[in-house]
Amino acid sequence: LAFVPNIGFIPLGAASVSLVHLPVVIGAIVFGWKEGLILSLAFGLISWARSYMPVGVADVLFQNPLIAVLPRLMIGFSACGCFWLFKKLFAAIGRGMQGKSESFYRVAAYGFGALIGVALTAAVYFSLVNIAQMAGAGAAMIAGAAGIFVGIAVNNTLRSGMTDPNRSAAMFGCAGGALGNTVFTLISFYFFVPAFFEEVLV
């Protein structure tokens, strides 16, 4: 994924959007946090190595391992942690919702799916704009994608009647891992770009 052009790292102007975290997220959910940590480290090291063959201007920033490797170590923890948290939560909710009608599940699915999707979109957008100082368009793309994905996940989870907590929790684990990759990378930008790349800010 990392070294096939326009597949693992997709160039978008000054920076590249990464899809290499997807196998890390899936591996962390399937195998657990220890294997997820190994996969996260591999992703970070590959990202670091690839930064010496930059496609966009911002790719050069990943030549610092504190930006390329350190935040990626949190992907496995984010994915695995979200998976186990929601697995327990959905199992408990499913026990409490037994015997409810199909129409109840449908109304709850669309209502909560839309509500949580909009709330998450707003929260991620304002966090990226105000904390990470990200441009409005980029923040809107990331926040919108996260909100839509989680909204659909909530909808599907409630429509299934919480009968399969593992399957439902896996969607939230994927969302948590992908969001963790974005959030922790932006946090590392916030702290380490001013410290090591002063010329970028001029």
Side-chain angles (χ1 to χ4, degrees):
L1 277 176
F3 294 102
V4 176
N6 301 319
I7 298 294
F9 291 96
I10 303 171
L12 289 177
S16 298
V17 174
S18 171
L19 298 180
V20 184
H21 66 280
L22 297 180
V24 179
V25 169
I26 294 168
I29 291 171
V30 173
F31 298 113
W33 71 269
K34 292 180 182 177
E35 290 79 357
L37 180 61
I38 294 170
L39 290 169
S40 298
L41 177 61
F43 171 34
L45 292 174
I46 289 169
S47 178
W48 186 29
R50 188 193 166 279
S51 68
Y52 289 93
M53 300 172 279
V55 176
V57 177
D59 291 345
V60 176
L61 301 176
F62 288 89
Q63 292 177 3
N64 184 338
L66 293 174
I67 295 174
V69 181
L70 183 62
R72 270 57 189 273
L73 294 177
M74 300 305 297
I75 298 173
F77 290 116
S78 301
C80 195
C82 283
F83 172 71
W84 283 106
L85 175 67
F86 281 100
K87 178 181 175 181
K88 291 182 179 296
L89 178 65
F90 292 149
I93 294 173
R95 288 192 295 270
M97 292 176 66
Q98 287 178 351
K100 300 290 185 183
S101 66
E102 186 178 335
S103 60
F104 171 83
Y105 287 119
R106 192 179 301 114
V107 171
Y110 286 104
F112 280 109
L115 182 65
I116 292 173
V118 170
L120 181 69
T121 299
V124 172
Y125 176 80
F126 286 112
S127 298
L128 293 176
V129 169
N130 296 320
I131 298 174
Q133 302 295 312
M134 194 173 191
M141 286 176 55
I142 294 171
I148 290 169
F149 185 87
V150 171
I152 291 171
V154 170
N155 181 288
N156 289 338
T157 298
L158 290 173
R159 271 193 345 204
S160 71
M162 304 285 187
T163 54
D164 190 352
N166 282 344
R167 182 177 178 182
S168 300
M171 293 191 292
F172 286 88
C174 290
L179 199 58
N181 175 50
T182 301
V183 169
F184 288 110
T185 300
L186 289 174
I187 290 172
S188 72
F189 269 40
Y190 181 80
F191 285 106
F192 300 126
V193 167
F196 295 97
F197 296 97
E198 291 183 6
E199 65 277 8
V200 175
L201 302 176
V202 176

